[in-house]
Amino acid sequence: LNWRYATKKFDSSKKVSEKDLNTLLDAAQLTASSYGLQPYRFFVIENSDIRSKLRKASWDQPQITDASYVLVLANKAKITRQQNTMHKKEKN
């Protein structure tokens, strides 16, 4: 995980194992935000109909339908004072 590479072609006959996917998700969830609140959520998209729609919205990039999974990172646009307070209580 100390390097980065943008894969453009996937072998759709091969699939990333669930164990490897979980390792990647665990590592991603450990990344810290500047506030320490991690105001984001990861979604794993496997459904082929959804992926086909995403491909159309992604300039028809074949990676969207050929890769084992599509990972979507969703970030909260606003963090409330209550969420911040709840997070502080959870840490104590």
Side-chain angles (χ1 to χ4, degrees), residues 73-90:
L73 173 62
N75 191 60
K76 290 183 180 179
K78 189 175 185 178
I79 300 171
T80 66
R81 185 178 302 275
Q82 181 183 12
Q83 288 168 319
N84 188 16
T85 303
M86 287 173 48
H87 177 73
K88 287 179 182 177
K89 287 180 183 176
E90 288 173 4

Side-chain angles (χ1 to χ4, degrees), residues 1 9 31 55 75:
L1 298 177
K9 292 185 180 184
T31 54
R55 180 174 172 164
N75 191 60

Side-chain angles (χ1 to χ4, degrees), residues 2-18:
N2 293 328
W3 56 277
R4 182 181 141 173
Y5 178 79
T7 304
K8 296 296 178 185
K9 292 185 180 184
F10 293 87
D11 182 345
S12 59
S13 68
K14 295 181 180 178
K15 188 169 182 169
V16 171
S17 72
E18 193 167 325

Side-chain angles (χ1 to χ4, degrees), residues 43-77:
F43 295 91
V44 178
I45 311 299
E46 294 182 79
N47 180 288
S48 59
D49 291 334
I50 294 172
R51 290 170 63 161
S52 292
K53 291 176 184 176
L54 287 172
R55 180 174 172 164
K56 290 176 188 174
S58 301
W59 298 279
D60 200 36
Q61 294 182 71
Q63 305 94 300
I64 303 299
T65 51
D66 292 347
S68 299
Y69 307 96
V70 172
L71 302 180
V72 175
L73 173 62
N75 191 60
K76 290 183 180 179

Side-chain angles (χ1 to χ4, degrees), residues 13-45:
S13 68
K14 295 181 180 178
K15 188 169 182 169
V16 171
S17 72
E18 193 167 325
K19 180 183 176 193
D20 287 344
L21 173 64
N22 287 330
T23 298
L24 291 169
L25 290 171
D26 288 344
Q29 291 171 347
L30 290 173
T31 54
S33 67
S34 60
Y35 293 98
L37 298 175
Q38 292 64 265
Y40 38 76
R41 186 168 172 197
F42 294 91
F43 295 91
V44 178
I45 311 299

